[in-house]
Amino acid sequence: WEDSKEWVHKNRLTKSGKMLYKKRKETIERSFADAKQLHGYRYCRFRGKKHVLEQALMTATCQNIKKIANHLAKIA
């Protein structure tokens, strides 16, 4: 595991790694921020692993539907 972590750390410091890391902030981290701000990810509405997982999947589904709608709106 340590070898993999070291490789990732070294790769992140390369030019291409820096570009990918910068892009991560714009894509992946933005998705979590939207889930937190717009879709109630700050708190769980339910109790229990099954219900929390269901909430997380519904949130992800909503986000994906919004992405598809935005993509289709750009095409049309």
Side-chain angles (χ1 to χ4, degrees), residues 2 32 39 44 63 71:
E2 290 298 321
F32 283 109
H39 298 287
C44 295
Q63 287 183 297
H71 181 71

Side-chain angles (χ1 to χ4, degrees), residues 62-76:
C62 290
Q63 287 183 297
N64 287 335
I65 289 171
K66 282 172 45 178
K67 283 182 184 179
I68 292 169
N70 285 333
H71 181 71
L72 291 175
K74 287 179 185 176
I75 293 173

Side-chain angles (χ1 to χ4, degrees), residues 1 3 7 10 12 24 26 28-29 37 39 42 45 47 50 52-53 58-59 63-66 74-75:
W1 182 250
D3 292 341
W7 179 84
K10 285 181 181 176
R12 188 174 60 86
R24 174 187 167 164
E26 300 166 3
I28 297 169
E29 299 297 335
Q37 289 287 358
H39 298 287
R42 287 189 185 274
R45 297 175 192 266
R47 298 179 77 182
K50 178 184 173 200
V52 172
L53 177 61
M58 289 299 290
T59 300
Q63 287 183 297
N64 287 335
I65 289 171
K66 282 172 45 178
K74 287 179 185 176
I75 293 173

Side-chain angles (χ1 to χ4, degrees), residues 31-57:
S31 177
F32 283 109
D34 286 345
K36 192 174 176 183
Q37 289 287 358
L38 305 174
H39 298 287
Y41 240 44
R42 287 189 185 274
Y43 306 102
C44 295
R45 297 175 192 266
F46 308 104
R47 298 179 77 182
K49 185 177 178 181
K50 178 184 173 200
H51 296 293
V52 172
L53 177 61
E54 188 175 303
Q55 179 186 347
L57 291 174

